[in-house]
Amino acid sequence: MIISIHIRKCAGTTFRKSLANYFGERVLFDYGDEVGSTWPSSLKKRQQSLANAKKNKNPTQSNFDVIHGHFYRDKYDFLDPGKRYITFLRDPVSRTLSNYFYLKRNLERENPDALIVNKLGFSLREYIQHPDCRNLQSQYLKTNTLAEFEFVGITEEYNSSIDKLNATLGIDLTTSDAENVNDKAAKDYDVTPDIFNLIQKCNPEDLRLYELALNRLHK
């Protein structure tokens, strides 16, 4: 079983399309856990989602080869041995900016970080410093070493990452055009040095994991 963790704004939507094209109905898409959110409603959702996943253990293992979505890395630890964990990471500065401006463009979103941005009116600086928005990639993966992962791709090197993933897992995923692209990225991501440094300061664990992933990919 391949367990694919889709970190927000780390090419997961593009990768999802490639998985669907290759594995078809053998992919289980698992979204809605509101990873990173400490709101009581989010905690309750994750508890119920985990209970449902455990209840469906046997049909999941029989009917699917891949689980892909927004969930913590250890959610499916209860499955039988032989799980192969994979994910994509992204430069923390780019990922943070991408997520913030994605939420600003999509006012209909109702997940907790969207409410912070669009209902409570958090500025970019306030969003960066909110506890739920710090080190989000580390929160998803629950690791200090990436040792649990058979493969870790790099969003900025998507095509070469797919090539290495295919070689690692013995599959033949194809690349595809990027999804959820911000047409105004050049303008939105041209932030002041102060904002750039603040994002780095608030995401030290993500920076460290990203460097680890870069070294693994280039080894």
Side-chain angles (χ1 to χ4, degrees):
M1 176 73 75
I2 297 171
I3 310 295
S4 172
I5 293 90
H6 173 186
I7 300 170
R8 292 200 297 275
K9 309 311 295 180
C10 290
T13 303
T14 305
F15 187 55
R16 170 179 178 161
K17 183 177 179 180
S18 295
L19 289 173
N21 287 340
Y22 185 80
F23 288 99
E25 295 182 355
R26 300 290 297 179
V27 184
L28 171 63
F29 294 111
D30 180 1
Y31 287 86
D33 277 10
E34 298 180 359
V35 174
S37 172
T38 56
W39 290 24
S41 59
S42 299
L43 298 177
K44 185 176 180 180
K45 281 184 179 180
R46 290 197 290 271
Q47 290 171 354
Q48 186 60 56
S49 178
L50 177 59
N52 290 338
K54 288 182 175 179
K55 181 179 179 180
N56 292 307
K57 174 184 177 180
N58 290 335
T60 295
Q61 294 187 147
S62 298
N63 297 328
F64 299 101
D65 298 319
V66 182
I67 303 174
H68 174 80
H70 292 323
F71 49 83
Y72 288 119
R73 192 269 308 161
D74 59 356
K75 178 177 181 177
Y76 288 96
D77 279 356
F78 64 86
L79 294 179
D80 292 344
K83 299 178 290 296
R84 310 173 84 178
Y85 292 95
I86 64 174
T87 194
F88 278 80
L89 294 181
R90 183 174 181 179
D91 173 77
V93 175
S94 296
R95 198 215 65 80
T96 299
L97 293 171
S98 178
N99 200 59
Y100 177 78
F101 287 107
Y102 168 79
L103 297 174
K104 294 286 283 185
R105 297 193 311 274
N106 292 271
L107 302 180
E108 78 284 356
R109 302 286 293 178
E110 295 184 354
N111 48 303
D113 57 345
L115 295 176
I116 288 172
V117 172
N118 295 322
K119 299 297 184 182
L120 301 182
F122 271 39
S123 67
L124 175 57
R125 182 180 295 275
E126 290 172 322
Y127 174 80
I128 292 166
Q129 297 179 89
H130 193 284
D132 287 0
C133 303
R134 297 185 179 202
N135 292 307
L136 191 69
Q137 297 178 87
S138 301
Q139 290 188 53
Y140 267 91
L141 303 188
K142 292 183 176 290
T143 181
N144 294 319
T145 65
L146 298 177
E148 301 88 343
F149 287 82
E150 189 160 351
F151 168 82
V152 181
I154 296 295
T155 301
E156 293 86 348
E157 301 181 33
Y158 183 77
N159 287 348
S160 61
S161 293
I162 290 295
D163 289 341
K164 184 163 186 179
L165 173 63
N166 286 336
T168 300
L169 298 186
I171 57 180
D172 190 23
L173 296 184
T174 58
T175 57
S176 59
D177 293 336
E179 305 277 340
N180 279 344
V181 175
N182 181 3
D183 295 332
K184 299 192 301 179
K187 177 178 179 294
D188 288 343
Y189 303 169
D190 185 19
V191 296
T192 63
D194 179 49
I195 290 294
F196 183 92
N197 292 334
L198 181 62
I199 297 174
Q200 289 197 321
K201 180 181 178 181
C202 291
N203 294 275
E205 293 304 315
D206 280 8
L207 284 167
R208 194 172 62 80
L209 284 185
Y210 182 69
E211 290 299 322
L212 281 174
L214 279 172
N215 290 334
R216 279 182 49 158
L217 185 67
H218 296 157
K219 181 180 274 187

